């Protein structure tokens, strides 16, 4: 069966420090991968998505970047965190023909920038 | 710009009643509409998907309708239970956008015993 792993679960980082969040998917090949951010009490904002290795589409200009070094690995990074980067970060995947299938989300990372 | 609106106020209902949540959208022609459930501190969980050429979809106690003329979807939970209490998210996707899903802000449902 397919599973998605996301870590760490919580993270407290000082302003200006780097960030690396990792997401891996098991049990499927060539998934579409997504990074979302959710502010408190708000909906999900799409940050990046990837339809293949090395293919990254950015939705919102910001202090973050994403990479997909392997088929089932998706990494969210920042060189210098801002206070506004705080939030709940969620990784998700769906099959390539993803329009007609639901997304599977990871358990999320709660990031607090102090 | 594209906009997805869900009831911003929390919905409080009595156990056993039918909960109805609304999702409206503007400046968008979605191919698919999806509903998710999210519990506090957790990732959303996929519930149902309905295509643009479908009027209604059912799954156990859940029912979704999709009216592309009104640009609206209704999500119903019949015989609601306290365990149904959660935030419910509506999401839309289009054919030519890499499968990316755009979410509404969600409606919080509270079912009282």
């Amino acid at each position: 069966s397919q599973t998605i792993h996301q870590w760490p679960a919580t993270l407290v980082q000082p302003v200006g420090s780097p960030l690396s969040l990792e997401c891996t998917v098991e049990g499927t090949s060539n998934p579409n991968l997504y990074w979302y951010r959710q502010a408190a009490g708000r909906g999900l904002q799409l940050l990046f998505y990837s339809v293949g290795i090395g293919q990254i589409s950015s939705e919102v200009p910001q202090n973050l970047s994403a990479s997909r070094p392997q088929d089932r690995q998706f990494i969210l990074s920042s060189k210098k965190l801002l206070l506004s980067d705080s939030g709940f970060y969620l990784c998700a995947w769906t099959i390539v023909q993803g329009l007609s299938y639901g997304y599977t989300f990871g358990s999320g990372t709660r990031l607090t920038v102090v | 710009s594209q906009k997805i609106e869900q009831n911003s106020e929390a919905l409080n209902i009595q156990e056993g009643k039918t909960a109805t949540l609304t999702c409206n959208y503007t400046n968008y022609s979605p191919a698919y509409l999806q509903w998710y459930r999210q519990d506090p501190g957790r990732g959303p969980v996929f519930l149902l998907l309905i295509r643009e050429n479908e009027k209604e979809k059912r799954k156990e106690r859940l029912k979704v309708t999709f009216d592309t003329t009104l640009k609206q979807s209704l999500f119903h939970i019949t015989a609601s239970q306290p365990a149904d209490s959660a935030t419910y998210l509506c999401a839309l996707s289009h054919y030519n956008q890499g499968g990316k899903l755009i979410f509404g802000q969600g409606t919080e449902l509270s079912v009282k015993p």
Side-chain angles (χ1 to χ4, degrees):
Chain A
S1 64
Q2 302 98 346
T3 56
I4 180 169
H5 301 282
Q6 191 180 341
W7 67 92
T10 60
L11 194 58
V12 179
Q13 292 284 100
V15 168
S17 64
L19 173 75
S20 181
L21 302 181
E22 189 165 341
C23 171
T24 59
V25 179
E26 294 180 358
T28 188
S29 296
N30 196 27
N32 281 4
L33 296 171
Y34 306 84
W35 278 111
Y36 283 86
R37 177 171 61 198
Q38 187 173 33
R42 305 287 295 276
L44 277 68
Q45 179 188 35
L46 179 63
L47 301 177
F48 301 95
Y49 69 98
S50 172
V51 299
I53 296 175
Q55 299 179 59
I56 308 294
S57 295
S58 174
E59 288 297 298
V60 181
Q62 60 214 329
N63 187 41
L64 302 169
S65 62
S67 62
R68 184 171 177 174
Q70 300 180 42
D71 180 44
R72 289 170 287 182
Q73 184 184 29
F74 205 22
I75 298 172
L76 182 69
S77 304
S78 174
K79 292 182 178 178
K80 289 185 178 181
L81 285 169
L82 307 172
L83 287 174
S84 57
D85 292 324
S86 294
F88 190 44
Y89 288 82
L90 289 155
C91 178
W93 77 272
T94 191
I95 66 171
V96 173
Q97 287 76 41
L99 290 177
S100 58
Y101 293 86
Y103 283 25
T104 300
F105 282 84
S107 53
T109 295
R110 176 78 57 191
L111 172 66
T112 303
V113 182
V114 297
Chain B
S1 62
Q2 299 164 352
K3 198 171 182 181
I4 304 171
E5 291 186 342
Q6 296 185 248
N7 298 11
S8 57
E9 294 185 8
L11 180 63
N12 298 300
I13 65 168
Q14 205 67 32
E15 182 177 7
K17 301 293 185 183
T18 296
T20 299
L21 285 69
T22 304
C23 174
N24 295 295
Y25 59 93
T26 56
N27 298 323
Y28 205 81
S29 296
Y32 303 90
L33 187 146
Q34 303 184 20
W35 284 89
Y36 289 76
R37 169 185 172 138
Q38 186 175 25
D39 291 287
R42 309 288 295 271
V45 175
F46 171 70
L47 296 175
L48 278 171
L49 176 149
I50 188 166
R51 295 170 174 78
E52 62 176 343
N53 60 350
E54 296 176 317
K55 296 292 185 184
E56 182 179 298
K57 183 73 70 74
R58 291 175 184 263
K59 179 183 177 182
E60 299 173 351
R61 294 186 294 112
L62 309 180
K63 185 179 84 171
V64 173
T65 63
F66 193 11
D67 188 326
T68 55
T69 300
L70 291 179
K71 295 186 181 297
Q72 180 182 78
S73 174
L74 298 178
F75 177 77
H76 307 272
I77 305 175
T78 58
S80 59
Q81 306 165 0
D84 295 325
S85 298
T87 295
Y88 291 86
L89 301 164
C90 163
L92 305 175
S93 61
H94 192 265
Y95 286 117
N96 300 318
Q97 294 182 313
K100 66 180 185 181
L101 212 51
I102 308 300
F103 283 83
Q105 78 275 22
T107 297
E108 184 179 349
L109 172 67
S110 178
V111 181
K112 303 297 183 184

